[in-house]
Amino acid sequence: MMTNNFRSMPTKMWCYFRLVYMPMSYLYGKRFVAPISPLILQLREELHTQPYNEINWKRVRHLCAKEDLYFPHLLIQDLVWDSIYIFTEPFLARWPFNKLRKKALEITMKHIHYEDENSRYIDIACVEKVLCMLVCWVEDPYGDYFKKHLPRLPDYIWIGEDYIRCRTFGSQLWDTSLGLEALLACKLTDEIGPTLMKGHDYLNKSQVRDNPSGDFRSMYRHICRGSWTFSDRDQGWQVSDCTAEGLKCCLLLSVMPPEIVGGKIEPERLYDAINVLLSLQSKNGGISAWEPAGTSKWLELLNPSELLEDVFIEQQYVECTASAVDALVLFKKLHPGHRKQEIENFNKKGCTVL
């Protein structure tokens, strides 16, 4: 509900961070409490160090096990959070200010549905997936939004020898591209032709073909057409180094006999990948992972997580920069006429950072 010029607004956050806190904020705003069942009572007894009904929640707002306290909060940050809680909550729970919260919840739900639909209900990661699914259940346990979440649960399930695990959404594209690069370096094309063709086919089918639906800028999404994700095409979230490695594989395979590795990917789709990579370079030459970096570093001081550091805003990464420069150097050799000056500037600035 804030304007884009407000520097500390949630849309300036790192995509993982804001997309996890988005459904959490909805559940808090709704004051959702699940029906108390015997299982919940057992979990309360197991997880807490004192009887649940005796916990003074205001006093334990900042309690964190020392083993998990990786990023201790500054006193001023705790004062800010406590002040917001103490002085704003009484107003937001009463008319007419509760109308403001109702409007905020409607906007939040709109963004949750948008993220669900554009990731084919996989969402950006396992934590957000289950939270968004819970939010849809809270909204309507018999609704289509919740039902569409259920078929994508197996994407996160790993059945081990002893029990079922919840894992990340997969690393299929990342594993395939690096595996293909290793195989190509072996110079054993005649022996591994079928493997190269299957891998090439997977890269071809996994490239994202369209940007997020509708006015994606107003939903705080970046371009993704032409990119590759960490897992597969359905998930839809562009990643710079995955795009770079996928592009590099396609370029390497494009100079090999098509009867061995399959047909080339159309140049226009390679150009789309270049467009994504160019858009992710910061002014100093570094490459971010998911979305363009550039938000003020001081916002990291507002990181509410005690478990993780440097997760509040998008960062630049050496590995992403190296992958992108490597891919664009190869692209320039094979397609010297496409955006020549932009690519030269990109590589020069990237190498300076490296």
Side-chain angles (χ1 to χ4, degrees):
M1 296 174 66
M2 301 176 183
T3 115
N4 284 340
N5 293 324
F6 192 78
R7 299 294 292 172
S8 61
M9 66 183 300
T11 55
K12 303 293 184 182
M13 297 177 183
W14 182 43
C15 56
Y16 269 89
F17 199 86
R18 72 169 185 265
L19 291 174
V20 167
Y21 273 82
M22 183 170 62
M24 289 177 65
S25 67
Y26 181 88
L27 294 171
Y28 177 80
K30 291 284 287 188
R31 295 298 191 273
F32 169 70
V33 178
I36 305 303
S37 65
L39 175 60
I40 289 180
L41 294 176
Q42 291 175 16
L43 288 172
R44 286 179 175 179
E45 182 178 354
E46 176 184 339
L47 296 174
H48 297 290
T49 58
Q50 65 185 100
Y52 181 85
N53 294 330
E54 297 178 9
I55 299 175
N56 186 331
W57 292 105
K58 290 184 179 180
R59 290 188 176 182
V60 298
R61 280 171 53 82
H62 306 296
L63 181 64
C64 183
K66 63 179 181 179
E67 295 83 1
D68 297 327
L69 192 57
Y70 180 75
F71 181 65
H73 290 171
L74 298 175
L75 177 60
I76 185 64
Q77 185 182 162
D78 288 341
L79 288 174
V80 169
W81 300 140
D82 287 344
S83 299
I84 293 174
Y85 173 74
I86 293 171
F87 295 111
T88 65
E89 280 304 311
F91 291 100
L92 291 174
R94 292 174 175 82
W95 188 89
F97 299 102
N98 57 359
K99 300 294 183 182
L100 181 64
R101 170 161 279 172
K102 181 180 178 182
K103 180 62 176 178
L105 289 172
E106 291 173 357
I107 294 174
T108 302
M109 181 56 77
K110 177 182 177 182
H111 281 267
I112 289 172
H113 289 325
Y114 184 85
E115 170 62 17
D116 285 343
E117 291 166 1
N118 280 277
S119 63
R120 279 72 171 177
Y121 289 83
I122 297 177
D123 294 312
I124 199 169
C126 56
V127 176
E128 190 218 359
K129 163 67 178 178
V130 294
L131 287 173
C132 286
M133 184 170 65
L134 176 59
V135 165
C136 291
W137 183 85
V138 171
E139 181 188 37
D140 182 1
Y142 304 103
D144 289 340
Y145 289 119
F146 172 68
K147 292 178 181 178
K148 290 177 181 179
H149 266 286
L150 299 177
R152 301 316 302 245
L153 283 175
D155 290 86
Y156 290 98
I157 299 299
W158 179 267
I159 301 178
E161 295 180 357
D162 44 0
Y163 49 80
I164 296 177
R165 298 171 175 84
C166 178
R167 59 182 178 89
T168 184
F169 54 86
S171 55
Q172 299 94 305
L173 188 282
W174 184 246
D175 297 339
T176 301
S177 58
L178 294 184
L180 284 174
E181 289 181 34
L183 291 173
L184 290 170
C186 295
K187 309 293 184 182
L188 298 174
T189 305
D190 294 337
E191 300 179 32
I192 58 174
T195 301
L196 296 178
M197 181 174 288
K198 289 180 181 179
H200 194 193
D201 182 62
Y202 182 78
L203 291 178
N204 182 17
K205 293 177 179 177
S206 296
Q207 187 182 22
V208 178
R209 306 295 178 87
D210 298 295
N211 288 319
S213 62
D215 183 9
F216 61 90
R217 299 288 188 186
S218 68
M219 303 304 287
Y220 312 108
R221 287 291 302 268
H222 189 58
I223 59 172
C224 62
R225 185 177 65 195
S227 68
W228 276 274
T229 70
F230 190 58
S231 56
D232 57 33
R233 181 174 164 183
D234 277 358
Q235 197 252 0
W237 269 91
Q238 71 286 342
V239 186
S240 59
D241 51 357
C242 295
T243 299
E245 300 301 337
L247 173 63
K248 183 180 176 182
C249 281
C250 291
L251 293 171
L252 292 171
L253 292 166
S254 69
V255 298
M256 299 178 68
E259 60 271 14
I260 296 178
V261 300
K264 301 179 182 179
I265 291 180
E266 296 86 346
E268 290 74 17
R269 289 170 55 191
L270 301 179
Y271 300 161
D272 286 337
I274 294 297
N275 189 48
V276 171
L277 291 176
L278 292 177
S279 73
L280 293 174
Q281 187 174 48
S282 301
K283 292 181 179 180
N284 69 348
I287 309 298
S288 53
W290 287 271
E291 297 172 318
T295 304
S296 302
K297 284 283 188 179
W298 67 264
L299 286 175
E300 282 291 348
L301 296 174
L302 299 178
N303 176 13
S305 172
E306 295 96 344
L307 306 178
L308 302 168
E309 190 174 5
D310 293 333
V311 295
F312 197 78
I313 62 174
E314 179 66 276
Q315 308 283 343
Q316 301 167 35
Y317 301 95
V318 171
E319 58 268 39
C320 295
T321 305
S323 290
V325 169
D326 191 28
L328 264 67
V329 167
L330 179 58
F331 178 85
K332 184 183 174 184
K333 292 180 180 178
L334 299 179
H335 300 268
H338 183 72
R339 303 179 72 166
K340 178 180 178 180
Q341 191 59 51
E342 292 178 76
I343 292 175
E344 287 180 356
N345 293 338
F346 182 100
N347 289 340
K348 183 178 180 180
K349 292 168 65 178
C351 288
T352 300
V353 170
L354 296 175

